[in-house]
Amino acid sequence: LLERYFADAPPRRPPAEMENRLSLLRALAAGASASHASRAFAVRVRPPALPDHGSVPATAFDLVVDRTCMLQEKASWTSGFGTLSYTRPEADALEGTSALGHLRGWLRHGLDLAGGRDGLGFLFLYELMTGSLAMRVLPTDSGFAWGCALLRLLPPEQTNKEGMLQSILRVLARNPQLAAQMPRFEDTRKFKIATIFKGQDIVKDLLAQVRGVLGTKAQAIQWPAVPELYRPPESVR
């Protein structure tokens, strides 16, 4: 049946899974009639392509070690990002089945470091990781774990390059003991709107406090080791 499919298949190359299955079936058929049928044999296979997001490999998140947040230059802490938006979810939107429903909508719209359509970006993840927000689909869930998971769902073009905001989130994700000691975000503006413009005191003050804590904890910060890229085998036995 597979041989007939390949004979009638369009010019483009068939999926690797189908090619590999046909190779295995041919080897099994040949071995069944051979005197050494009970012996192990090797079959060459074509590894399936790794999943990707456009031109950015899906595995690239773990290949980035971003130390931007450890830079000492004060100017570098407020450069590289512009306007943020943040709409803090109500507590009941982060509990049980309600949280699942909201999460589905947020992911459908897409998370964004600057806030995106739902106003959920850096500040949302920061509050989850530092314990200011509790998100529980199950009673044993932690906001920190949800923040770490959602960090990986930001657009790859944001997380797979270096930058101050994502560097802070990466450090928190790798150092949960440090996340609990970080300063809390407080919106002290008289008129509270979702948009937070670059240079506003609430952002500058938060980053200044974060900078101070990271500076005192520099020796204790753990950095991830870059994993070796997985290279699938070209044959199976």
Side-chain angles (χ1 to χ4, degrees):
L1 190 60
L2 278 174
E3 289 179 333
R4 183 182 301 175
Y5 168 81
F6 279 107
D8 299 336
R12 65 178 182 276
R13 193 171 186 182
E17 294 85 351
M18 298 187 70
E19 279 192 7
N20 295 339
R21 176 166 293 191
L22 181 58
S23 297
L24 178 61
L25 291 174
R26 283 173 171 168
L28 287 172
S33 59
S35 59
H36 58 279
S38 60
R39 299 179 184 176
F41 57 90
V43 179
R44 290 190 62 81
V45 296
R46 176 164 68 95
L50 292 174
D52 61 68
H53 299 278
S55 60
V56 183
T59 55
F61 183 95
D62 294 309
L63 302 181
V64 177
V65 180
D66 189 355
R67 300 175 184 264
T68 308
C69 65
M70 300 307 296
L71 297 176
Q72 297 301 314
E73 298 82 1
K74 185 176 180 180
S76 66
W77 276 77
T78 55
S79 63
F81 69 92
T83 300
L84 302 177
S85 64
Y86 181 39
T87 303
R88 182 183 284 126
E90 298 293 335
D92 60 359
L94 299 175
E95 295 282 344
T97 56
S98 177
L100 282 177
H102 283 87
L103 185 61
R104 179 183 179 187
W106 299 335
L107 295 180
R108 185 171 61 247
H109 299 157
L111 299 177
D112 189 278
L113 199 63
R117 175 173 172 178
D118 296 300
L120 301 174
F122 168 75
L123 291 173
F124 175 55
L125 300 181
Y126 181 86
E127 290 211 296
L128 284 173
M129 290 185 182
T130 57
S132 295
L133 284 179
M135 183 172 179
R136 299 186 184 91
V137 174
L138 298 175
T140 56
D141 285 354
S142 75
F144 176 82
W146 274 108
C148 293
L150 294 176
L151 171 61
R152 290 174 169 269
L153 299 181
L154 289 171
E157 59 269 20
Q158 294 180 358
T159 59
N160 293 343
K161 66 179 183 180
E162 296 183 355
M164 185 59 64
L165 300 183
Q166 53 264 45
S167 178
I168 293 171
L169 296 176
R170 282 177 175 272
V171 166
L172 298 183
R174 187 69 176 82
N175 299 268
Q177 78 289 348
L178 180 61
Q181 304 175 44
M182 298 302 286
R184 299 296 191 254
F185 168 69
E186 296 182 12
D187 190 347
T188 57
R189 295 174 298 173
K190 184 175 181 180
F191 300 102
K192 295 177 174 57
I193 59 175
T195 302
I196 302 174
F197 296 100
K198 179 180 179 179
Q200 282 192 290
D201 288 343
I202 56 171
V203 175
K204 291 170 60 178
D205 291 348
L206 176 65
L207 293 181
Q209 294 177 60
V210 169
R211 182 170 181 261
V213 173
L214 294 181
T216 61
K217 304 292 184 181
Q219 299 301 318
I221 292 177
Q222 297 181 10
W223 299 96
V226 177
E228 294 186 7
L229 284 176
Y230 171 70
R231 300 187 182 280
E234 297 182 353
S235 64
V236 295
R237 288 181 61 86

